[in-house]
Amino acid sequence: MSLLKNDLFLRACKKLPVERTPVWIMRQAGRYLPEYRKIREKADFITMCKTPELAAAVTIQPVDIIGVDAAIIFSDILVIPEAMGMKFDMLESRGPVFHHPLRNSDDVKSLKKIEPETDLKYVLDAVALTKRELDGRVPLIGFAGSPWTLFTYMVEGKGSKNFSEVKKLIFNNPFMAHQVLDLLSDAVADYLSAKIEAGANAIQIFDTWGGILSQNNFEEFSLRYISKVISKVKRKEEPVIVFSKGVHFKLEEIASAGADVIGLDWTMDLGDIRKKIGGRVALQGNLDPTVLYANEDKIRNEVKKILQSYGEGSGHVFNLGHGILPDVDPENAKSLVNIVKEESKKYHLANAAG
Ligand code: CP3
């Protein structure tokens, strides 16, 4: 940590004093950047993920272009199911589509137990290369999908509106669901441990589909396995961020599961949540991603409201409440980062002198 030139993000994750609030953007390496699209013209998405030089290049783009305080390794949550034997295509405008979704016990039998050091070596190589190329400028975040979110994709086979297939499965064959979730928890924990070993300074678990479950089912099918992952990940001081989208109701439980930082979507009130759990965890978020369609004055106003809602002191990592949208003007992303840097100083004045 001490080798980093800018460790604001890691300090905020640990609620240590900072001079200003650090900022990064979920899905910051992506299609809204012309520089990303230029590389993407020459290679398909999966090839980009599997080529460490390309993955490192696009990982570093938002650090150079947008000025964020952390990099997140360019990859996808679906590399785990892919390594388990489930092939998918990334279709333009439709997103990922699995060739054979997981629907019955025979499908489960064909899932392969993964060894990250061999099966996902390309990601670990990308992490190591990115670290070298970043040369300590900012920390590097590693990530994985939560077991539940991966399971949802594997069963639905593609994006979904009602999540009927995965719901049918948990209600009609909970034994199979738990069997696969258990397998995924081991895979995710081993994978995140390997990423830390390769140089990741922090890890984020994306529980994008946690919010489609009722409160009881969230505990049974998502939280239990996030807990398992966190307790199994081998780490020293690397913070764990959990982003469960749409999960207002279990934030205390997520904190109890061992998260150091909880990511909030934009429907939640940062100040209220700080009052409830800010003593135990740091908070990340939570600007509505569509605010980046607005002009600079509006962006500034919305940023100020979020900073004010969190209030004074460390423990806040500024981010969007979900990923940046592909048709956002990169100039607006730059403005956002600059505005956070300027406007957040006054909330940390007590530290400036010392
Ligand atoms: O944050 C970053 O910059 C790192 C890269 C990253 C990607 N995917 C690259 C990507 C991260 C952290 C992810 C996570 C991911 N992938 C999630 C969880 C986060 C979330 O947004 O909820 C999910 C659900 C996926 C699965 C996935 N991958 C979908 C649904 C899609 C299609 C929709 C979309 O946003 O494009 C992808 C494709 C994808 N993953 C792209 C990128 C840059 C676009 C691919 C392209 O270039 O065509």
Side-chain angles (χ1 to χ4, degrees):
M1 183 157 133
S2 55
L3 296 172
L4 288 164
K5 290 164 201 141
N6 170 355
D7 67 351
L8 287 167
F9 162 75
L10 292 177
R11 278 190 272 149
C13 288
K14 293 174 185 188
K15 303 209 287 171
L16 296 170
V18 286
E19 303 75 49
R20 61 166 177 84
T21 305
V23 51
W24 69 281
I25 301 174
M26 286 193 275
R27 305 292 280 273
Q28 64 191 15
R31 286 164 299 181
Y32 74 105
L33 286 178
E35 294 82 354
Y36 171 92
R37 293 199 301 269
K38 205 163 164 229
I39 296 182
R40 178 72 170 73
E41 268 167 27
K42 290 185 222 117
D44 64 56
F45 177 73
I46 298 171
T47 305
M48 275 174 72
C49 290
K50 290 191 173 179
T51 312
E53 291 72 18
L54 297 181
V58 294
T59 300
I60 296 171
Q61 283 179 351
V63 178
D64 290 336
I65 302 164
I66 310 291
V68 287
D69 293 306
I72 178 161
I73 190 69
F74 178 81
S75 184
D76 202 82
I77 61 169
L78 301 178
V79 298
I80 287 188
E82 208 237 9
M84 293 170 105
M86 294 190 60
K87 302 291 167 224
F88 68 91
D89 293 322
M90 189 60 82
L91 301 185
E92 220 61 53
S93 76
R94 271 195 71 194
V97 178
F98 282 98
H99 300 179
H100 301 288
L102 190 76
R103 296 286 161 84
N104 58 43
S105 311
D106 282 342
D107 298 334
V108 176
K109 274 187 220 128
S110 64
L111 290 178
K112 182 171 148 327
K113 186 180 172 345
I114 62 159
E115 304 285 346
E117 281 76 8
T118 49
D119 298 321
L120 291 164
K121 183 171 182 298
Y122 63 88
V123 184
L124 307 178
D125 289 346
V127 169
L129 180 62
T130 305
K131 280 281 285 196
R132 246 179 288 140
E133 292 187 353
L134 276 174
D135 192 28
R137 274 187 289 160
V138 292
L140 179 63
I141 304 168
F143 71 90
S146 71
W148 167 253
T149 292
L150 294 178
F151 183 65
T152 301
Y153 268 104
M154 288 157 77
V155 175
E156 294 291 335
K158 54 185 187 312
S160 171
K161 223 175 178 177
N162 299 320
F163 301 95
S164 306
E165 295 302 329
V166 75
K167 296 277 179 95
K168 280 182 209 165
L169 230 160
I170 62 172
F171 298 131
N172 296 323
N173 197 348
F175 176 80
M176 174 183 150
H178 284 298
Q179 196 186 2
V180 179
L181 287 164
D182 225 21
L183 200 69
L184 285 169
S185 305
D186 289 339
V188 169
D190 291 349
Y191 174 59
L192 289 174
S193 304
K195 272 185 165 168
I196 291 172
E197 178 76 29
N201 301 102
I203 52 175
Q204 173 153 327
I205 299 173
F206 283 93
D207 189 27
T208 306
W209 297 128
I212 68 167
L213 290 165
S214 69
Q215 301 200 18
N216 288 337
N217 287 326
F218 177 76
E219 292 237 355
E220 181 177 346
F221 293 99
S222 185
L223 184 62
R224 187 201 289 188
Y225 296 100
I226 291 174
S227 255
K228 192 176 166 192
V229 169
I230 298 175
S231 58
K232 220 186 149 200
V233 168
K234 291 194 195 74
R235 59 179 174 136
K236 293 191 193 86
E237 53 184 13
E238 295 80 6
V240 176
I241 309 165
V242 176
F243 173 69
S244 273
K245 186 163 178 284
V247 181
H248 299 242
F249 44 79
K250 293 286 175 191
L251 298 174
E252 269 152 312
E253 289 80 355
I254 296 172
S256 301
D260 301 292
V261 185
I262 296 189
L264 306 179
D265 69 47
W266 65 94
T267 64
M268 311 187 202
D269 186 89
L270 196 55
D272 283 352
I273 291 166
R274 184 183 189 186
K275 276 185 215 119
K276 284 190 201 127
I277 54 170
R280 301 165 64 190
V281 285
L283 300 175
Q284 176 175 283
N286 69 341
L287 183 73
D288 181 340
T290 59
V291 168
L292 293 184
Y293 291 137
N295 64 29
E296 188 170 336
D297 284 347
K298 179 69 182 164
I299 296 173
R300 185 176 298 274
N301 259 322
E302 295 292 321
V303 167
K304 280 166 118 174
K305 280 189 220 160
I306 287 178
L307 292 170
Q308 194 178 12
S309 172
Y310 188 83
E312 281 180 20
S314 189
H316 178 211
V317 174
F318 201 101
N319 206 319
L320 302 182
H322 198 185
I324 188 166
L325 295 159
D327 56 348
V328 157
D329 183 344
E331 288 305 317
N332 291 5
K334 271 187 226 175
S335 297
L336 166 73
V337 167
N338 287 331
I339 292 167
V340 174
K341 289 179 179 177
E342 286 162 27
E343 299 286 347
S344 66
K345 284 193 192 115
K346 63 172 186 270
Y347 294 98
H348 304 281
L349 280 179
N351 311 305

